[in-house]
Amino acid sequence: MKTPKIISTPKSLTEETIQELTNVNTRLTKSHKELAIYEDLLAIKEEHKAKDVALRPLLLNIGMAVSILLAIIAINWKSYDDGNLVDLGEVEADLNEIIEIPVSTQPPPPPPPKQEVFKIAEVKDTEIIEDINLNLDVEVTENEALEVVEVNVPIDEEEEIEEIFVIVEQEPLPEGGLEAFYSYLAKELKYPSQAMRLGIMGSVFVQFVIEKDGSITQVQVVKGIGAGCDEEAIRVIQNAPKWIPGKQRGVPVRVKKIIPVKFIIAGTNP
């Protein structure tokens, strides 16, 4: 801390001026002292701050070590109920004492049942078996002869499985053409109430076989939409009129067909 210089008063100054200068000098001296004290406090604060920064890692490690130690103690802590210990006294025992076990009075177990041994009797070679006299010389007359009954058993002949064609030279057609057939479908088809109520629309693909005589058999749905539409499509196809059968090399054959049956609610876009 720097000591302020004391200004000497010249002799030519008045007493008031000298007094005023003295007061200023005193205030300056006091200000310098306060500034010095403030600087000392600031230095002490910086020193403490530096010590805190230096000690922070050490304190952190100590805290972590203490936490781990407390956790280990809590895990391994065992508590026992406080209770009065009972003095059992001194037990005198002779280790060389032999304990006598009394003989059991239970009756002995019954003997196991005897197993019967079957003996196979040997037949001596000298034993003679009595001969049985059979009279095979028997005369059979025509009246006593047995009648031979012939039974004709029908033999099931394997039915020839005729081939079902998918593509033929001459395709089968309904009477009046496809337009007449679809007109029949539009006339006979009844929209199921369940499908109408649920708003179900779409195409039901029906597969069937056109026989050699033009009749329709083996009607089944290969892709349906449900809600009663599949059953209605089968009913209409089964009741359809006969078709003109398909031909292969000029001979009527069985042909498989698949057609879509559309269900559309009036006034809606399909």
Side-chain angles (χ1 to χ4, degrees):
M1 180 180 68
K2 295 180 180 180
T3 305
K5 295 180 180 181
I6 300 174
I7 302 171
S8 59
T9 57
K11 295 180 179 180
S12 59
L13 298 175
T14 61
E15 292 182 359
E16 294 179 357
T17 305
I18 293 171
Q19 184 65 33
E20 186 178 353
L21 292 174
T22 303
N23 295 334
V24 170
N25 191 17
T26 303
R27 286 196 297 271
L28 289 174
T29 303
K30 185 178 180 180
S31 299
H32 279 286
K33 289 181 180 180
E34 291 177 354
L35 182 60
I37 294 171
Y38 177 76
E39 289 178 353
D40 292 340
L41 292 175
L42 187 61
I44 294 171
K45 182 178 180 181
E46 293 293 334
E47 184 179 357
H48 283 293
K49 186 177 180 180
K51 289 182 179 180
D52 291 340
V53 172
L55 292 176
R56 187 175 298 169
L58 179 62
L59 295 176
L60 181 61
N61 293 333
I62 293 174
M64 292 180 62
V66 172
S67 300
I68 295 172
L69 181 61
L70 292 176
I72 294 173
I73 293 173
I75 292 172
N76 296 326
W77 183 268
K78 295 181 180 179
S79 60
Y80 300 95
D81 296 334
D82 295 335
N84 297 325
L85 299 178
V86 179
D87 187 7
L88 299 178
E90 295 182 0
V91 179
E92 295 181 357
D94 188 3
L95 299 178
N96 296 325
E97 183 180 357
I98 300 175
I99 300 174
E100 295 182 358
I101 300 174
V103 181
S104 177
T105 58
Q106 292 182 352
K114 295 182 179 181
Q115 297 181 354
E116 296 182 359
V117 179
F118 296 94
K119 295 183 179 180
I120 301 174
E122 297 181 358
V123 180
K124 297 181 179 180
D125 296 337
T126 56
E127 187 175 353
I128 300 173
I129 300 174
E130 295 181 358
D131 295 334
I132 300 173
N133 296 324
L134 297 176
N135 186 10
L136 300 178
D137 297 332
V138 179
E139 294 182 0
V140 180
T141 59
E142 294 180 357
N143 295 329
E144 295 177 354
L146 298 176
E147 294 182 357
V148 178
V149 180
E150 295 182 358
V151 179
N152 295 325
V153 179
I155 300 174
D156 295 335
E157 297 181 356
E158 295 183 357
E159 296 182 357
E160 295 182 359
I161 301 175
E162 296 183 358
E163 183 181 0
I164 299 176
F165 291 83
V166 179
I167 300 174
V168 291
E169 296 176 354
Q170 184 177 345
E171 291 290 335
L173 291 172
E175 295 287 345
L178 291 175
E179 293 182 1
F181 181 73
Y182 281 111
S183 298
Y184 159 77
L185 292 180
K187 181 180 178 181
E188 297 295 329
L189 199 65
K190 296 180 181 178
Y191 217 110
S193 58
Q194 183 180 1
M196 180 75 72
R197 185 172 62 256
L198 298 176
I200 294 176
M201 296 186 295
S203 297
V204 178
F205 290 86
V206 183
Q207 174 182 290
F208 54 92
V209 176
I210 301 170
E211 301 292 339
K212 294 179 180 180
D213 59 352
S215 59
I216 297 174
T217 60
Q218 301 183 19
V219 183
Q220 59 182 351
V221 173
V222 294
K223 183 180 179 182
I225 58 176
C229 296
D230 301 348
E231 292 78 4
E232 180 63 16
I234 291 175
R235 183 190 68 81
V236 175
I237 296 296
Q238 286 178 342
N239 296 330
K242 289 186 177 182
W243 286 38
I244 300 172
K247 293 183 180 180
Q248 184 73 11
R249 296 180 182 178
V251 179
V253 292
R254 305 173 71 196
V255 183
K256 183 186 294 183
K257 297 289 291 184
I258 297 176
I259 63 169
V261 179
K262 295 184 179 180
F263 288 84
I264 300 173
I265 300 174
T268 58
N269 294 323

